[in-house]
Amino acid sequence: MTAPLRADLATVKVALGARSYDIVIGRGLVASLGARIAGLRPGARAAIVTDENVARYHLGAVEAALAAAGVASTRVIVPVGESSKSFRVFEQVCEAIVAARIERGDLVIALGGGVIGDLAGFAASVVRRGLDYVQVPTTLLAQVDSSVGGKTAINSGHGKNLIGAFHQPILVLADTAALDTLPVREFRAGYAEVVKYGLLGDAAFFAWLEANWRDVFAGGKSSGSFAREHAIAVSCRAKAAIVARDERETGERALLNLGHTFGHALEAACGFSDRLLHGEAVAAGIALAFAFSARQQLMPAAEAERAIRHLAEVGLPTGPKDIPGGLPSVDRLMDLIAQDKKVKRGMLTFILARGIGAAFVEIGVDQGQVRAFLSEKLAGR
Ligand SMILES: NC(=O)c1ccc[n+]([C@@H]2O[C@H](COP(=O)([O-])OP(=O)(O)OC[C@H]3O[C@@H](n4cnc5c(N)ncnc54)[C@H](O)[C@@H]3O)[C@@H](O)[C@H]2O)c1
Ligand SMILES: [Zn+2]
């Protein structure tokens, strides 16, 4: 499906039996949040979990939409950033939800980026042994990735996302106008995950992105185009289809990790700091996965170069050479890759590709070949 949407509204269904839900995508949708919630759960009250940035820009509109539909709400505001995915903040959020007397039949609303979605979703999964929740994602990354699929988590001292649960939302409402306040660097980082869907399984969508990415970045505010909504809808449809077939990542869902094995190692090497955002690390990781696939003779070099060219064109990093500051040695990077959860019994599992739109899970990638490839990329800095 590659034709731009005719309307500025799209609904993607996540088909998971009794736990099925809609992802609704469109500009200005937040105004309908209260009515949608009142329709899904008549009489429900809501605790809105958000961060300080998002509260400043968008909390007022969300509260007004709820009030207009008679949905009573309280707010729980946490500090900005990954450090809020901690036991300490998690405890505060759980206690605040209990204190607000949100009970079975009521709702948690996750209003924010992936940090808030993961934190509030996990709190919803355990408070009173499980509350319903609604995702209102406000970053591009959250709209195309983290709000869909029901993975929720906080971080452990041993690593990211190690304490969590599968808990599906009852509704995802992606208001594309929320992205107008997002810093362009954050938008661009989220765009790496959009490109990922094209590269992993939809060559026509990738070609559409090559032609239309400027409209996706601009949004419909001035251009009147629905390119942004289209890109988000296609991305959500791709993720929803994979999640419906493999909710708990026993197989195919691993394809969504394209670029993430190299990416996580680079992200960890930069200390999960502002030096390299998650999506930026994923872009570099995708570029490396494509270059490595070409090196393994899985696809022509020109095919990998085309994928990498698009990432570079939008301003995303495509390898160690684009990452500012020092990077650790190849040995350290190999350690980080081996620590990644995509390692099974000492064998490296990578998502490789036979071409644009043709990714596959490769179990048992030779560590020596990865090491040689990476040291070359590091030497090229
Ligand atoms: N559960 C999953 O399946 C899944 C998938 C991918 C990523 N994640 C998680 O998502 C997190 C990253 O998400 P993220 O990139 O959205 O980060 P984030 O939630 O930290 O948001 C990025 C920044 O943008 C700000 N922000 C959010 N919305 C805004 C808006 N509309 N206007 C202005 N500023 C806004 C935030 O305050 C923050 O400073 C990571 O913790 C990652 O582990 C989870
Ligand atoms: Zn990712």
Side-chain angles (χ1 to χ4, degrees):
M1 117 119 228
T2 53
L5 293 171
R6 294 277 175 263
D8 62 345
L9 204 110
T11 300
V12 175
K13 294 211 179 295
V14 186
L16 289 168
R19 286 169 290 107
S20 297
Y21 54 95
D22 285 349
I23 307 163
V24 199
I25 301 149
R27 177 165 283 273
L29 266 183
V30 131
S32 71
L33 180 64
R36 288 172 193 275
I37 285 177
L40 281 169
R41 294 288 184 275
R45 299 160 63 250
I48 309 163
V49 181
T50 191
D51 76 21
E52 286 157 356
N53 277 341
V54 180
R56 190 163 64 243
Y57 293 117
H58 302 292
L59 181 56
V62 167
E63 288 178 334
L66 294 177
V71 178
S73 71
T74 45
R75 38 161 83 179
V76 182
I77 302 177
V78 305
V80 168
E82 185 72 24
S83 58
S84 280
K85 280 173 59 174
S86 66
F87 272 109
R88 197 177 53 82
V89 177
F90 176 69
E91 179 184 351
Q92 290 167 357
V93 170
C94 290
E95 293 288 7
I97 293 170
V98 174
R101 293 204 226 116
I102 299 297
E103 299 177 357
R104 298 294 286 274
D106 293 329
L107 285 173
V108 173
I109 297 174
L111 171 69
V115 164
I116 291 300
D118 280 8
L119 174 69
F122 185 40
S125 81
V126 293
V127 173
R128 295 184 186 275
R129 298 199 180 86
L131 295 168
D132 288 337
Y133 75 115
V134 171
Q135 290 271 16
V136 184
T138 63
T139 63
L140 181 58
L141 181 129
Q143 294 194 351
V144 299
D145 190 356
S146 59
S147 70
V148 177
K151 280 192 186 177
T152 72
I154 57 172
N155 301 327
S156 140
H158 295 279
K160 268 189 58 139
N161 297 329
L162 293 178
I163 320 288
F166 284 96
H167 188 48
Q168 301 291 345
I170 62 164
L171 170 71
V172 179
L173 187 134
D175 185 337
T176 53
L179 306 181
D180 293 343
T181 59
L182 191 66
V184 65
R185 186 180 171 200
E186 293 285 353
F187 188 94
R188 190 186 292 123
Y191 182 78
E193 306 277 7
V194 175
V195 175
K196 180 185 80 177
Y197 294 112
L199 291 177
L200 78 83
D202 189 343
F205 180 49
F206 180 76
W208 184 87
L209 289 171
E210 287 179 307
N212 294 284
W213 67 271
R214 288 185 180 80
D215 285 344
V216 176
F217 275 65
K221 200 172 43 169
S222 48
S223 67
S225 117
F226 301 130
R228 180 182 287 177
E229 287 72 21
H230 176 71
I232 294 169
V234 174
S235 299
C236 287
R237 206 168 286 135
K239 182 161 183 182
I242 291 175
V243 167
R245 291 192 293 261
D246 180 20
E247 184 180 8
R248 297 213 165 216
E249 196 169 325
T250 53
E252 185 190 0
R253 188 164 178 170
L255 286 179
L256 298 172
N257 295 325
L258 174 63
H260 283 63
T261 300
F262 283 125
H264 281 159
L266 293 169
E267 212 180 347
C270 294
F272 296 99
S273 68
D274 283 356
R275 244 178 84 199
L276 190 66
L277 301 179
H278 172 75
E280 294 169 342
V282 167
I286 291 173
L288 291 171
F290 267 70
F292 185 71
S293 299
R295 168 77 60 96
Q296 302 293 97
Q297 318 266 312
L298 290 164
M299 71 171 98
E303 182 97 345
E305 280 157 19
R306 181 179 158 204
I308 295 166
R309 198 179 319 122
H310 180 58
L311 294 166
E313 183 180 23
V314 307
L316 284 163
T318 59
K321 63 176 177 12
D322 299 327
I323 297 169
L327 280 180
S329 67
V330 71
D331 292 323
R332 174 77 185 126
L333 283 176
M334 287 305 292
D335 281 348
L336 289 167
I337 285 174
Q339 276 167 26
D340 196 84
K341 61 178 184 291
K342 281 126 226 153
V343 181
K344 273 195 196 127
R345 295 185 196 90
M347 296 294 250
L348 291 181
T349 297
F350 267 87
I351 312 304
L352 300 180
R354 296 197 176 84
I356 287 169
F360 66 99
V361 183
E362 176 75 311
I363 302 160
V365 173
D366 185 75
Q367 297 213 28
Q369 286 176 359
V370 176
R371 193 181 185 287
F373 170 78
L374 258 189
S375 26
E376 212 174 281
K377 295 288 167 193
L378 285 167
R381 296 185 86 216

